[in-house]
Amino acid sequence: MAISRRSLLKNSMLSLAAVPFISKVQAAEPIKIAAIFDQSGGLDIYGQPVMNCVELAVDDINKQGGLLGRPVELVKYDPQSNIQYYTQFATQAATRDRVSAVFGGVTSASREAIRPILRRYKTPYFYPSLYEGGVCDRNSFEIGTTPAQTVARIVPYAVKQWGKKIYVIAADYNFGHISADWVSKYAKDSGAEVVATEFFPLDVTDFGTTIKKIQDAKPDMVFSLLVGGNHISFFRQWAAAGMVGQMPIASSDFGVGNENRILTPKESEGILAAYAYFQELETPVNKQFLQRLQAKFGNKTPYINETAIDGWYAVMHWANGVRAANSVERMPLIEALEKGSTVDGPGGISRLDAATHHFTVDIYLGQVKNGAWNILETYPQQPPSDTAAVCNLLTHPDDNQQYVIKAGG
């Protein structure tokens, strides 16, 4: 069949028009962002899954054409659970690599090590981890839940189910100390009391003496605020002492290191917690997310928890700001986000509270059963009311501190 010159030119033009837009995006100068999460050391149980979710978020954005006609490029750092490396890499990301934003930090200590550095170098900072609340800094955005969203739900439920005497065990740094105050506050509000509180450095692995103290005190429950790989030893020793099923445990951070999968089903059975996300959520959006994660990581796909999923939400909120501002520059980005940012994701709707740079989210109360989370209750759109009581960046934009919120316990 003869092909005319006109038909050939027409078909060639159609072929050129059909070249995917993504090719142009790939050829453009990338927008660099940095991720600083522990991939090794005692905190890697938290850092590895959140890094995976940040990577997936970047993939999701790039598959939709990137931002401003440019691809997003992720620069990854492993601080090895070492605060010194956190400060080194935050400085490197802001000065040498000149990234547009930094996503990083697992513990509050790591956050407070890098937050002032990134503010000094005018690099927007997103902290995707639950924490004790109170950070008030226009340059930073705290994606994770605070005690007013989680502890406020766990304690009343636990008191109603188990009784009024609570024994608190907590990590010996600001997260543990401040969160323990919130447990006392919500215990008092529920007509209960904390009978004892013990704090443990992150390197402690022997809890034999503490378990004996708890047995002697005979509380109705234990509230755990332990953190990191070393502290998993408590739950193993608790089970070995025959205490599983004898005395219940509640926590506002158990599971964010996938402890329910690292421990045996017997060792974690019955532990109660509340978060903005559980992998077991039966929603279409969550199922689709897990499918994309599986497609990307295959047999290395991590079990996902709130801190991990907040890495994805953090990148998506940043992307909302870039689109709204039509810029990656710091102040246009911040001002655009403060006008409103909503992300409908695997855990439900995450909505920016402009006054605090924290987020209103759905909260789920869950209990471990056979190594998985059984969802007991759902609390839609819980605001960060603890931080809102002390922070208003709309009226005080130059505020720059972490308030120690008086819990009233």
Side-chain angles (χ1 to χ4, degrees):
M1 181 182 296
I3 301 177
S4 70
R5 184 172 180 272
R6 179 177 292 179
S7 296
L8 182 62
L9 286 172
K10 181 180 179 182
N11 289 336
S12 297
M13 290 174 69
L14 288 172
S15 297
L16 288 171
V19 173
F21 174 70
I22 194 68
S23 297
K24 298 178 182 178
V25 170
Q26 290 171 343
E29 181 183 356
I31 300 170
K32 288 185 179 182
I33 60 174
I36 310 175
F37 297 107
D38 307 282
Q39 301 300 286
S40 59
L43 298 172
D44 62 351
I45 61 173
Y46 307 107
Q48 290 174 358
V50 68
M51 184 72 86
N52 292 142
C53 287
V54 168
E55 290 182 52
L56 183 63
V58 172
D59 279 4
D60 287 346
I61 292 168
N62 285 336
K63 286 176 181 177
Q64 295 173 5
L67 295 171
L68 312 182
R70 300 162 61 186
V72 177
E73 178 183 323
L74 182 64
V75 183
K76 298 188 293 184
Y77 305 88
D78 176 14
Q80 302 169 44
S81 305
N82 185 316
I83 294 296
Q84 181 179 343
Y85 288 142
Y86 264 105
T87 58
Q88 175 184 325
F89 292 145
T91 303
Q92 183 176 318
T95 59
R96 191 193 73 178
D97 295 324
R98 297 186 177 278
V99 299
S100 297
V102 170
F103 303 80
V106 169
T107 65
S108 293
S110 62
R111 181 197 65 245
E112 290 309 294
I114 65 178
R115 184 173 65 83
I117 293 172
L118 296 172
R119 182 182 174 94
R120 183 185 317 136
Y121 290 115
K122 295 182 170 53
T123 304
Y125 173 43
F126 293 78
Y127 175 60
S129 181
L130 64 89
Y131 84 114
E132 66 279 1
V135 169
C136 193
D137 176 359
R138 201 177 183 200
N139 191 65
S140 72
F141 296 84
E142 283 63 44
I143 314 297
T145 52
T146 62
Q149 296 167 304
T150 55
V151 179
R153 298 303 176 185
I154 300 167
V155 172
Y157 184 93
V159 168
K160 184 177 180 180
Q161 296 294 318
W162 299 331
K164 296 183 177 181
K165 293 183 177 181
I166 305 170
Y167 197 113
V168 176
I169 52 176
D172 192 12
Y173 69 104
N174 52 350
F175 167 75
H177 283 267
I178 297 172
S179 297
D181 287 343
W182 283 108
V183 174
S184 294
K185 180 259 192 301
Y186 291 118
K188 184 177 180 181
D189 289 352
S190 302
E193 64 173 326
V194 172
V195 297
T197 302
E198 283 194 73
F199 297 99
F200 304 90
L202 293 179
D203 60 355
V204 169
T205 59
D206 185 356
F207 292 90
T209 300
T210 295
I211 291 173
K212 181 64 169 61
K213 288 181 181 178
I214 295 171
Q215 291 170 326
D216 291 342
K218 298 180 180 179
D220 295 310
M221 74 185 86
V222 173
F223 201 103
S224 170
L225 297 164
L226 299 176
V227 172
N230 292 323
H231 283 182
I232 286 180
S233 300
F234 169 81
F235 302 99
R236 291 184 171 132
Q237 293 164 29
W238 183 258
M243 295 302 292
V244 175
Q246 299 300 311
M247 188 180 297
I249 297 176
S251 178
S252 63
D253 68 324
F254 180 91
V256 294
N258 294 340
E259 293 92 339
N260 57 305
R261 289 302 180 97
I262 295 170
L263 297 169
T264 67
K266 178 184 176 182
E267 290 167 339
S268 63
E269 188 72 10
I271 295 177
L272 181 74
Y275 299 113
Y277 176 82
F278 288 108
Q279 180 168 304
E280 290 79 3
L281 289 173
E282 292 286 338
T283 65
V285 176
N286 187 42
K287 289 179 180 178
Q288 292 168 9
F289 175 86
L290 294 174
Q291 288 170 0
R292 297 200 309 278
L293 198 71
Q294 178 69 39
K296 180 173 178 60
F297 294 103
N299 59 10
K300 294 183 179 180
T301 302
Y303 182 81
I304 299 301
N305 51 60
E306 182 192 305
T307 294
I309 210 73
D310 282 342
W312 183 89
Y313 274 105
V315 176
M316 290 303 179
H317 278 293
W318 167 77
N320 276 354
V322 171
R323 293 188 192 100
N326 196 33
S327 171
V328 296
E329 295 300 315
R330 173 179 177 261
M331 284 313 301
L333 170 74
I334 291 171
E335 290 168 355
L337 284 171
E338 288 174 343
K339 291 177 182 177
S341 177
T342 299
V343 175
D344 190 359
I349 292 175
S350 170
R351 195 185 313 274
L352 174 68
D353 176 64
T356 64
H357 284 201
H358 289 58
F359 293 80
T360 294
V361 294
D362 296 337
I363 296 295
Y364 307 93
L365 188 73
Q367 191 167 28
V368 180
K369 184 176 182 180
N370 295 324
W373 290 100
N374 179 36
I375 312 302
L376 303 176
E377 302 278 352
T378 301
Y379 309 95
Q381 294 298 281
Q382 299 299 298
S385 57
D386 41 16
T387 303
V390 295
C391 177
N392 190 330
L393 292 165
L394 299 180
T395 57
H396 302 286
D398 294 327
D399 210 346
N400 174 29
Q401 62 181 302
Q402 181 179 10
Y403 289 95
V404 178
I405 306 167
K406 299 299 182 183

